[in-house]
Amino acid sequence: MNYKKISMDTYARKDHYAYFSQMGYPYAGVTVNVEITDWLSVVRARKLPFFHSFLYAAAAAANSVPQFRQRIGENGPIEYESCRSSYTVALDDGTYCYCTLDTQQPFEEFLIYAADEQEKAVNKAGIDDGEDAQELFFISSLPWLTYANLIQPVPVPADSNPRITWGRYFQMERKMWIPVSVLCHHALVDGIHLHRFYQQLEKQLGMLCG
């Protein structure tokens, strides 16, 4: 497995981990409008696929924050070297299936790989891919809606996978924005780590603009 155990002897959030792990709803989340003016111009000019291009940036941002790669293991917290992304793909009958992608590759190669994996997922059209879901980032989008807040379903007992969702982009004050929601297990992730994710997301989007 590509993870390491975190020693509770040196873990700075030991008390926080114990406290929030016992809660019935241990999640912390936020929705932030992220500016994508220049990024969207590049995506349009280069005719890039919007969803996979944004997913690539979001996954890179999440992987760059160690706390987003941490999970609650059987004997305490663990940290993955990197995490893949599992996202929802809309189907013609109004339902959806899941597609799992490894984003640890160059952007242009990723786009080709992602299109192929999504086609396979659609042909399979299932919501149970038989994979160990613990390492995954759960990703979704609401391209039909521009929203200010989002409530997500969560399992019982609680899992510790970060959930990243974005909605329909919109124009405000001559700039383009997109609502991006993040939900994380508070035993592992604090507000400062959510902030770092959004910082990294802006950085990743800016890298495409060159």
Side-chain angles (χ1 to χ4, degrees), residues 19-38:
Y19 178 70
F20 288 108
S21 293
Q22 299 178 36
M23 292 192 170
Y25 187 90
Y27 299 100
V30 66
T31 297
V32 174
N33 289 329
V34 176
E35 187 193 345
I36 58 169
T37 308
D38 294 338

Side-chain angles (χ1 to χ4, degrees), residues 18 23 64 68 95 130 133 149 155 167 172 176 182:
M23 292 192 170
S64 71
F68 273 60
T95 63
N149 194 16
M172 181 176 62
M176 304 304 295
V182 178

Side-chain angles (χ1 to χ4, degrees), residues 30 32 34 180-182 194-202:
V30 66
V32 174
V34 176
V180 180
S181 301
V182 178
L194 296 174
H195 167 65
R196 289 170 183 165
F197 165 79
Y198 286 102
Q199 280 187 317
Q200 289 298 318
L201 178 57
E202 292 178 353

Side-chain angles (χ1 to χ4, degrees), residues 4 46 57 70 76 79 101 106 145 147 159 165-166 172 180 183 198:
K4 64 181 180 181
R46 294 177 56 186
Q70 293 173 3
E79 183 178 312
L101 297 179
L145 297 174
Y147 61 82
D159 63 24
T165 308
W166 53 89
M172 181 176 62
V180 180
L183 187 70
Y198 286 102

